[in-house]
Amino acid sequence: MLHASGLEKRYGNRRALGAVSFDVDPHGFLVITGPNGSGKSTLLRLCAGLAVPTGGELRIDVARERVGFLAHEALVYRELTALENLDLYGRLYRVEERRERIGMLLERFGLWDARHKRAGAYSRGMLQRLALCRVLLHEPALLVLDEPHSGLDDEGLHLLERELAERREDVTVVVATHEPERVLPFATSRLALG
Amino acid sequence: MSYLADVGALARKDLLLELRSRDTLPAMLLFVLSSFVVFHFVLPTGTDRLAAQGLLWVAIVFTALLGLARAFSAEREQSVLDGLVLATRDLSAIWFGKALSILAFLALAEVVALPVFGLFFGRVELRTVAAVALADLGIAAVGTLLAGMAAASRARELLLPLLFLPLVIPLVIGGVGATVADHPSSYLGLLALYDAVFGLVAWGSFAYVVAE
Amino acid sequence: MTRALRQQRLPILAVVACALMAAAIASIAYVAPVDANQGLSQKIFYFHVPIALTAYAFFAWGAWKALRVLWKRDEAADLESYVAIHQGVIFGVLTLVTGSIWAKISWGVWWAWSSNQLVLFLVLFLFYAAYFMLRYSVDPGPQRANLCAVYALFGVALIPVSFLAIRLANDFIHPTVFTSNGPQMSGRMFFAFCLSWAAMLALAASLYHVELAGKRLDSRLRELREVLAR
């Protein structure tokens, strides 16, 4: 699914990621750990197809629109409601039976009652849950998660773990985290940076 | 077809955002009307009517600049642009949708501004309206791309006018020519040529502005 | 052999440029006739026009390299495009300066809005000056390369469209050199003109390679420092 060898990313003369190699099989689960500044986020942006490597090789066997990317920020419009945000993404991803799918996700992540509220008025935990809805909306084949645990409350953590356990057989997952013990039960491989 | 649906969804979102926050269009309207008042005092009594007609184009370009400076501000917060880049199949749809919404704001501002200009400085002829319509297309096409560039830089709002003004000089020449010259057709032709050339270049190159 | 030749390219180019320049100056002085109307001062033509044409050549070269950045993802082309545009701006400023001097001598004013060529170069100067503003307000990397390349491509679209627009805006009263009937120059004038253009191009190519080599060296040095700092 993912194949990297000697992967390197530079910005000008600054090296953000140096010579990383790994393989992730289909339905594999890669856990990336490492201190701040070790290049975790850079590596995830590469895996999501948002950045291109400056050296080495990276093969991603999945189209860009089949990737679900959870970033540090929620990637939603603050002035739009949760429903409007997900509707826009649903249209762009061309999700079939969009309304039903959005309703189901909002329900599952406990945001249904707040669906007409502006995303800007959400708490950090709710925003992170909305971001998870956005990530899962188009049933991605590759999940790229950057620090999914930060900002999530206990209920959110529980929902995320349930989601990962349920979809274990359908998706390939790359996750960078400060709390590897939370996802290690799912892990098929591990990569330590820095 | 689905490309146009993407463009529609993105443009609709911009209009919705504007409807909710109401910060761009009122600012553009207020700006263009204030500039007319400034023009009155800039032009000494007895100045040719043509001078005011030329200044109309100054007002249009700077009003557009005001709107363009905010074009990507909603995307920059929360780095939504990354999300759009991942979700949109053909990245030029992002440019297309944004250019349409800019065009709508500009046209709405001018629907108010042109009659007011006529009231203050004498009749606005049909050829002026045609030139403004053609120039709007070019301004929206080029301006959206440059606003995307400026949004990716550190200088942001500071950079946009520097990138934008040299590029719209042909539009100003075409617009003023179509407004005041004896034979406006060649100037209208220049505006149409500009729209076609720069519309194509902007449409084709936008993907490189938002993605590596 | 070819490798040795490549390493020696810059000195060879510089020597050729010097020789051509000397020949050009000699032919401007002795071969080209003195203009009947403008007298000796018309000879600035042999500098002004080749410098302007060289500036265009640089902008076109910069755009070509920019196209390679976008099309082939050629990383080295980003620096080449930048250097070409940098040199183009230098030659553009020289065009403005020589044009201004010529305007002063023939029309008595330092600046003439009626001179389409000068106005066009002013627009281009502003446009490409903004290129540097753009370049220095984005962090180095592929995104900067893309942004700069797109902007450089807009430049080659802007040149003909602006030319047309400025021509429309004004009557064409700058001395016409080429008409549809071919060059209006005598054989000796044309020879001196072509020689000085060739000299200018050779000089431009040497300057381009000097700056490029310097920039590359600088980049290598930074990379080494980065490695050492680890």
Side-chain angles (χ1 to χ4, degrees), chain C residues 172-179 184:
Chain C
F172 199 72
I173 62 163
H174 209 51
T176 308
V177 175
F178 295 104
T179 64
Q184 254 185 357

Side-chain angles (χ1 to χ4, degrees), chain C residues 8 19 40 44 64 88 109 115 144 146 165 172 183-184 186 204 207 210:
Chain C
Q8 294 302 312
L40 197 62
I44 197 173
W64 162 246
V109 286
S115 162
R144 184 176 83 170
N146 281 354
F172 199 72
Q184 254 185 357
S186 67
L207 288 174
V210 166

Side-chain angles (χ1 to χ4, degrees), chain B residues 145 153-154 187 208 211-212, chain C residues 73 136-137 139 146 154 168:
Chain B
L145 183 110
S153 74
R154 281 189 303 271
Y187 292 96
Y208 298 104
E212 282 192 359
Chain C
R73 289 198 161 280
Y136 290 117
S137 77
D139 291 324
N146 281 354
F154 266 84
L168 269 177

Side-chain angles (χ1 to χ4, degrees), chain A residues 9 11 45-46 48-53 64-65 67-69 71 73-81 84-85 87-89 91-94 118 127 134, chain B residues 2-3 5-7 9-10 12-14 16-17 20-21 74-91 93 98 210-212:
Chain A
K9 179 69 181 174
Y11 290 97
R45 285 181 69 83
L46 288 169
L50 279 170
V52 288
R64 197 184 52 196
E65 58 266 14
V67 176
F69 178 49
E73 284 166 298
L75 312 191
V76 294
Y77 287 97
R78 300 175 65 85
E79 293 300 322
L80 295 184
T81 66
E84 287 162 348
N85 267 305
D87 188 65
L88 172 66
Y89 276 107
R91 281 171 194 269
L92 293 177
Y93 278 123
R94 292 167 201 166
R118 288 188 316 115
L127 208 54
R134 175 188 61 74
Chain B
S2 42
Y3 177 76
D6 287 356
V7 172
L10 288 160
R12 193 172 139 269
K13 169 264 308 171
D14 281 331
L16 196 63
L17 279 172
R20 197 149 298 164
S21 60
E75 276 79 13
R76 222 168 43 214
E77 277 181 52
Q78 294 286 315
S79 25
V80 190
L81 208 50
D82 278 345
L84 295 186
V85 167
L86 283 173
T88 314
R89 310 263 157 133
D90 186 335
L91 295 181
K98 191 62 84 181
V210 287
E212 282 192 359

Side-chain angles (χ1 to χ4, degrees), chain B residues 110-166:
Chain B
E110 284 159 357
V111 163
V112 177
L114 283 178
V116 173
F117 183 84
L119 188 72
F120 288 173
F121 300 102
R123 213 157 57 84
V124 176
E125 289 173 55
L126 191 64
R127 58 180 185 169
T128 308
V129 177
V132 169
L134 279 173
D136 282 357
L137 294 177
I139 287 175
V142 170
T144 303
L145 183 110
L146 296 180
M149 277 189 179
S153 74
R154 281 189 303 271
R156 288 181 187 165
E157 285 84 359
L158 190 67
L159 189 61
L160 183 61
L162 302 178
L163 302 176
F164 183 69
L165 289 177

Side-chain angles (χ1 to χ4, degrees), chain C residues 8-20 199 201-210:
Chain C
Q8 294 302 312
R9 192 170 57 178
L10 191 50
I12 292 172
L13 203 56
V15 168
V16 169
C18 283
L20 274 174
L201 282 177
L203 176 71
S206 332
L207 288 174
Y208 171 78
H209 284 291
V210 166

Side-chain angles (χ1 to χ4, degrees), chain C residues 40-116:
Chain C
L40 197 62
S41 61
Q42 184 267 344
K43 298 214 171 187
I44 197 173
F45 157 83
Y46 298 102
F47 292 100
H48 175 68
V49 178
I51 287 173
L53 293 175
T54 308
Y56 284 133
F58 267 130
F59 294 141
W61 186 247
W64 162 246
K65 288 294 179 185
L67 197 63
R68 286 195 57 89
V69 170
L70 300 181
W71 189 18
K72 302 271 186 199
R73 289 198 161 280
D74 181 352
E75 261 184 85
D78 174 48
L79 189 66
E80 289 164 352
S81 174
Y82 162 73
V83 170
I85 287 169
H86 187 217
Q87 292 292 334
V89 168
I90 293 172
F91 276 77
V93 170
L94 285 176
T95 307
L96 286 174
V97 170
T98 52
S100 182
I101 294 170
W102 199 3
K104 176 68 184 166
I105 292 166
S106 41
W107 303 320
V109 286
W110 288 109
W111 182 258
W113 284 105
S114 52
S115 162
N116 297 328

